[in-house]
């Protein structure tokens, strides 16, 4: 059975599904106009606690990453390829924390947690755009460290501003294409009744299982698409960091400790990012109680941890932030 890939991907409408031809001959008609998000808990007391808890973490994620972006922009000492890529990672983390978390926080105060069909498809799209872009950007950051440590004499020649801009552009392009390939068939599925999503946002595997047809082929497509991108990025990261660590081990210079400190921050972020993904794609369409925790970790905690890791492990960033703070406190 084939699946349509319309050019009007981002301008879909629920009305289009009332015509059987719009779903490529499927007999079921999509009548779902909204989805019900079951959230993290049904207890009112727990939800009130979670409202304050996640509000604090969301604020920390946004402010922490914006602080890194401003620090890199203002401090001329941080105008280097590594910090340019780091500031773009912080921007993606702000987006990653914002696509679903504000609604989750607002839903803690609402008895009926619903989201429109268009809103649900938007969440799926942005989740995979930011997730795919961050995976590729982490590879670009590993490449930057490889050039800096293994080919230091050619670093500024190879990692020019033009090359850095291209790397960031490629990461966003791959993220958009990756997400669009998912949304192309998900937006045209027939949803004819079940509309309860057992999470605080529209997760692609959970939404696909609500479609009124056999979703086995779709599950394989999603697993292949997301799993292949994740596997390729993870292997590239593993190879690059293995080469870097081997090179650092052979060096006996004074800059070895600084290189190891920078690498440890990068590797920690990679482990925190790919760890949940590996678990998700081992059992992509089976539901476990820990799935919601992984979703929270990926969308809320990781954007908070990234700025903490890079600032606590990076002397240059800490000094630049201290200088920025003293300047504003003094004024």
């Amino acid at each position: 059975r084939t699946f349509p890939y319309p050019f009007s991907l981002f301008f879909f409408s629920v009305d289009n599904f009332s015509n059987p031809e719009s779903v490529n001959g499927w007999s079921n008609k999509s009548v779902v106009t909204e989805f019900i998000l079951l959230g993290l808990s049904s207890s009112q007391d727990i939800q009130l606690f979670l409202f304050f808890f996640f509000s604090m973490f969301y604020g920390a994620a946004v402010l922490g990453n914006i602080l890194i972006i401003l620090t890199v922009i203002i401090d001329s000492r941080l105008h280097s390829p590594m910090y340019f890529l780091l500031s773009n990672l912080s921007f993606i983390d702000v987006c990653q924390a914002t696509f679903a978390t504000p609604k989750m926080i607002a839903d803690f105060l609402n008895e009926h947690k619903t989201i429109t069909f268009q809103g649900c498809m938007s969440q799926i799209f942005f989740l995979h755009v930011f997730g795919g872009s961050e995976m590729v950007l982490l590879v670009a950051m590993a490449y930057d460290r490889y050039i800096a440590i293994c080919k230091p004499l050619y670093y500024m020649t190879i990692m020019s501003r033009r090359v850095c801009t291209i790397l960031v552009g490629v990461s966003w392009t791959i993220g958009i294409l990756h997400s669009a390939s998912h949304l192309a068939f998900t937006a045209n599925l027939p949803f004819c009744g079940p509309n309860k999503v057992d999470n605080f946002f529209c997760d692609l595997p959970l939404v696909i299982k609500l479609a009124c047809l056999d979703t086995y082929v779709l599950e394989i497509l999603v697993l292949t698409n997301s799993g292949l991108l994740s596997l390729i990025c993870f292997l590239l990261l593993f190879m690059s960091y293995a080469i870097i660590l081997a090179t650092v081990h052979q060096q006996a210079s004074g800059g070895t400790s600084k290189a190891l400190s920078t690498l440890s921050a990068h590797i920690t972020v990679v482990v925190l990012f790919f760890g949940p993904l590996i678990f998700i794609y081992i059992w992509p369409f089976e539901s476990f109680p820990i799935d919601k925790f992984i979703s929270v970790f990926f969308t809320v905690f990781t954007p908070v941890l990234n700025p903490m890791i890079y600032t606590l492990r990076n002397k240059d960033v800490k000094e630049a932030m201290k200088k920025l703070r003293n300047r504003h406190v003094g004024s």
Side-chain angles (χ1 to χ4, degrees), residues 129 132-133 136 166-180:
V129 167
S133 299
V136 180
I166 291 175
L167 290 174
V168 172
V170 168
S171 69
W172 280 102
T173 301
I174 292 178
I176 292 173
L177 292 176
H178 163 69
S179 184

Side-chain angles (χ1 to χ4, degrees), residues 12-18 29-36 114-121 189-195 202:
F12 47 79
S13 171
V14 178
D15 295 336
N16 295 335
F17 299 118
S18 61
K29 298 181 179 180
S30 181
V31 296
V32 172
T33 59
E34 65 180 16
F35 291 93
I36 299 174
T114 61
I115 185 171
T116 63
F117 184 91
Q118 290 85 350
C120 184
M121 295 299 110
L189 290 176
F191 297 96
C192 57
N195 66 339
C202 286

Side-chain angles (χ1 to χ4, degrees), residues 183-209:
L183 199 63
F185 59 80
T186 305
N188 285 302
L189 290 176
F191 297 96
C192 57
N195 66 339
K196 292 184 178 180
V197 179
D198 190 17
N199 211 327
F200 64 91
F201 68 93
C202 286
D203 195 10
L204 180 60
L206 298 179
V207 173
I208 285 180
K209 293 184 75 69

Side-chain angles (χ1 to χ4, degrees), residues 293-311:
F293 172 77
I294 292 177
S295 297
V296 171
F297 185 86
F298 185 75
T299 57
V300 181
F301 294 151
T302 300
V304 175
L305 292 174
N306 282 358
M308 290 178 60
I309 292 169
Y310 281 113
T311 54

Side-chain angles (χ1 to χ4, degrees), residues 206-221:
L206 298 179
V207 173
I208 285 180
K209 293 184 75 69
L210 297 177
C212 301
L213 74 156
D214 184 4
T215 60
Y216 176 78
V217 175
L218 297 177
E219 293 172 9
I220 297 300
L221 287 175

Side-chain angles (χ1 to χ4, degrees), residues 147-159:
I147 299 297
I149 295 173
C150 300
K151 300 182 180 182
L153 297 179
Y154 303 97
Y155 178 68
M156 295 309 299
T157 302
I158 296 175
M159 295 301 296

